């Protein structure tokens, strides 16, 4: 009878963790971080430390409220959902 729970090596475990997100998720996350960093730069804000949850929440709140899609030639600026 086959064992229900397999044993995995440390290398296999590291590979599974590294590949847990799809390529599209990784690409979307990378793009979102880039937009957030552009926002911080445009607003002359320092990158909030992840341990400072209050400051991070305040910056993210303003980011979500103020973020807009890039303006295309002749197009209106629309709010990012």
């Amino acid at each position: 009878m086959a064992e229900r729970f397999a044993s995995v090596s440390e290398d296999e475990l590291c590979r599974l963790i590294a590949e847990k997100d799809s390529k599209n998720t990784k690409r979307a996350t990378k793009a979102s971080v880039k937009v957030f960093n552009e926002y911080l730069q445009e607003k002359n804000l320092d990158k909030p430390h992840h341990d400072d949850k209050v400051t991070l929440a305040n910056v993210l709140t303003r980011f979500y409220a103020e973020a807009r899609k890039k303006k295309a030639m002749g197009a209106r600026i629309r709010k990012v959902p």
Side-chain angles (χ1 to χ4, degrees):
M1 176 167 16
E3 294 181 21
R4 180 175 176 196
F5 301 101
S7 296
V8 295
S9 69
E10 285 297 317
D11 288 340
E12 289 175 304
L13 186 58
C14 289
R15 183 184 54 77
L16 286 170
I17 291 170
E19 296 175 355
K20 70 177 176 52
D21 294 326
S22 73
K23 289 179 185 177
N24 287 338
T25 299
K26 290 177 184 179
R27 192 176 350 196
T29 301
K30 185 177 179 179
S32 297
V33 169
K34 181 181 177 203
V35 171
F36 182 63
N37 286 328
E38 289 172 357
Y39 170 79
L40 293 175
Q41 185 176 9
E42 184 176 311
K43 297 293 183 174
N44 295 318
L45 298 171
D46 292 327
K47 189 174 183 180
H49 194 273
H50 66 274
D51 286 340
D52 187 357
K53 294 181 185 342
V54 172
T55 301
L56 182 59
N58 289 335
V59 170
L60 285 172
T61 299
R62 294 200 66 86
F63 168 70
Y64 290 130
E66 296 174 351
R68 303 287 184 264
K69 288 189 176 193
K70 277 190 173 180
K71 187 175 181 181
M73 297 290 280
R76 291 184 346 173
I77 296 175
R78 293 189 355 225
K79 194 171 184 180
V80 175

